[in-house]
């Protein structure tokens, strides 16, 4: 158990819908990262928040957005869902802002999203 | 483009066989290197990491990896695998030249037959 929690574990929805995925980082960690894992794209970095502020952006679609709240939990919002958005979404956390090499990310169990 | 390459997509071996998974990266400058493992239905777990110092690093579950800077490689090894090592293995690189974003290889699925 990494200490990172994610809910829900599974999510089934229809195209065009909107969903929210939730992540709670390890105790004391200020950074939260979101990743998408799909069969064709592998593990892709989406976005990072540090202490409530967006720190870095990766291959995140405009239909997707995220935020980090004062209690440091984060939510990833996926809207206008398409079949291709079906994937495993991981959250990771680290203690540092991601501005140095000496940091380790710890991953949560993931949310498996199926868009029908 | 800068990337992380894992040479093998799927490796099948018998228990007690030795395992070596290749990982090459193309980022210049200083890098930190990681191997993560994902057991079936589970999340990614950190196996080992290299920040600096001895290029041969030892991780959990009997795994080790060797950083060869001249070859831009960070290969993972285990002398004798067990059935429980069946999992997907990901190499990841954190580089200043990539704005410290963690980049993952495509992963190698390892199947250990009892």
């Amino acid at each position: 158990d990494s200490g990172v929690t994610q809910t829900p574990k599974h999510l089934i929805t229809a195209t065009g819908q909107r969903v929210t995925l939730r992540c709670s980082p390890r105790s004391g960690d200020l950074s939260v990262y979101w990743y998408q894992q799909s069969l064709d794209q592998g593990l892709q970095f989406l976005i990072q928040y540090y202490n409530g502020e967006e720190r870095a952006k990766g291959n995140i679609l405009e239909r997707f957005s995220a935020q980090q709240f004062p209690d440091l939990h984060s939510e990833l919002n996926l809207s206008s869902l398409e079949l291709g958005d079906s994937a495993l979404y991981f959250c990771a956390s680290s203690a540092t802002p991601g501005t140095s090499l000496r940091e380790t990310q710890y991953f949560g169990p993931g949310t498996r999203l199926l868009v029908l | 483009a800068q990337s992380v390459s894992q040479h093998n997509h799927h490796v099948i071996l018998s228990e007690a066989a030795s395992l070596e998974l290749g990982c090459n990266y193309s980022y210049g400058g200083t890098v930190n290197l990681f191997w993560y493992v994902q057991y079936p239905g589970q999340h990614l777990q950190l196996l080992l990491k290299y920040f600096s110092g001895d290029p041969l690093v030892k991780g959990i579950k009997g795994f080790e990896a060797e950083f060869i800077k001249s070859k831009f490689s960070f290969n993972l090894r285990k002398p004798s695998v067990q059935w429980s090592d069946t999992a997907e293995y990901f190499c990841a690189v954190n580089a200043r030249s990539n704005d410290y974003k963690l980049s993952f290889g495509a992963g190698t699925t390892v199947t250990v037959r009892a």
Side-chain angles (χ1 to χ4, degrees):
Chain A
D1 185 0
S2 66
V4 180
T5 60
Q6 289 186 248
T7 57
K9 198 168 183 178
H10 301 277
L11 202 48
I12 302 174
T13 187
T15 54
Q17 295 298 304
R18 172 190 167 96
V19 297
T20 297
L21 313 183
R22 182 188 169 104
C23 167
S24 292
R26 294 187 319 157
S27 177
D29 282 358
L30 299 178
S31 274
V32 169
Y33 305 78
W34 286 97
Y35 292 86
Q36 179 193 59
Q37 185 181 34
S38 61
L39 284 174
D40 55 343
Q41 296 285 333
L43 200 60
Q44 299 275 321
F45 166 69
L46 295 179
I47 196 165
Q48 179 210 354
Y49 278 80
Y50 175 73
N51 205 19
E53 300 290 326
E54 182 183 304
R55 163 72 182 84
K57 247 180 177 176
N59 302 321
I60 189 166
L61 299 172
E62 284 190 15
R63 299 183 285 110
F64 297 180
S65 65
Q67 54 185 325
Q68 186 179 29
F69 295 86
D71 67 351
L72 300 176
H73 91 272
S74 177
E75 293 181 356
L76 179 67
N77 301 296
L78 315 176
S79 60
S80 303
L81 283 167
E82 302 174 359
L83 295 177
D85 298 328
S86 296
L88 196 52
Y89 291 84
F90 284 110
C91 162
S93 77
S94 71
T96 55
T99 55
S100 77
L101 292 173
R102 289 184 175 270
E103 71 156 40
T104 301
Q105 293 181 27
Y106 295 90
F107 284 76
T111 293
R112 187 171 295 279
L113 173 67
L114 181 59
V115 182
L116 299 175
Chain B
Q2 297 176 323
S3 66
V4 181
S5 301
Q6 291 184 239
H7 311 308
N8 308 100
H9 181 63
H10 194 178
V11 172
I12 302 172
L13 55 163
S14 301
E15 276 193 312
S18 64
L19 172 69
E20 179 159 0
L21 303 181
C23 173
N24 284 89
Y25 61 93
S26 62
Y27 297 95
T30 305
V31 295
N32 281 357
L33 302 152
F34 305 82
W35 276 97
Y36 284 87
V37 61
Q38 187 176 24
Y39 297 103
Q42 296 189 27
H43 63 284
L44 279 83
Q45 299 174 39
L46 183 66
L47 265 182
L48 48 80
K49 59 187 177 184
Y50 173 79
F51 283 175
S52 64
D54 188 344
L56 185 62
V57 293
K58 294 192 184 301
I60 61 171
K61 301 178 190 281
F63 285 90
E64 63 179 32
E66 185 175 13
F67 171 51
I68 303 179
K69 190 174 181 179
S70 60
K71 293 185 178 180
F72 296 86
S73 70
F74 190 55
N75 293 353
L76 181 71
R77 296 194 291 254
K78 184 169 184 178
S80 176
V81 295
Q82 301 172 316
W83 176 81
S84 58
D85 292 322
T86 294
E88 190 157 16
Y89 294 80
F90 293 91
C91 178
V93 177
N94 181 359
R96 183 179 290 120
S97 61
N98 193 35
D99 198 26
Y100 307 107
K101 293 175 194 167
L102 196 59
S103 294
F104 285 85
T108 297
T109 300
V110 173
T111 301
V112 180
R113 291 185 171 152

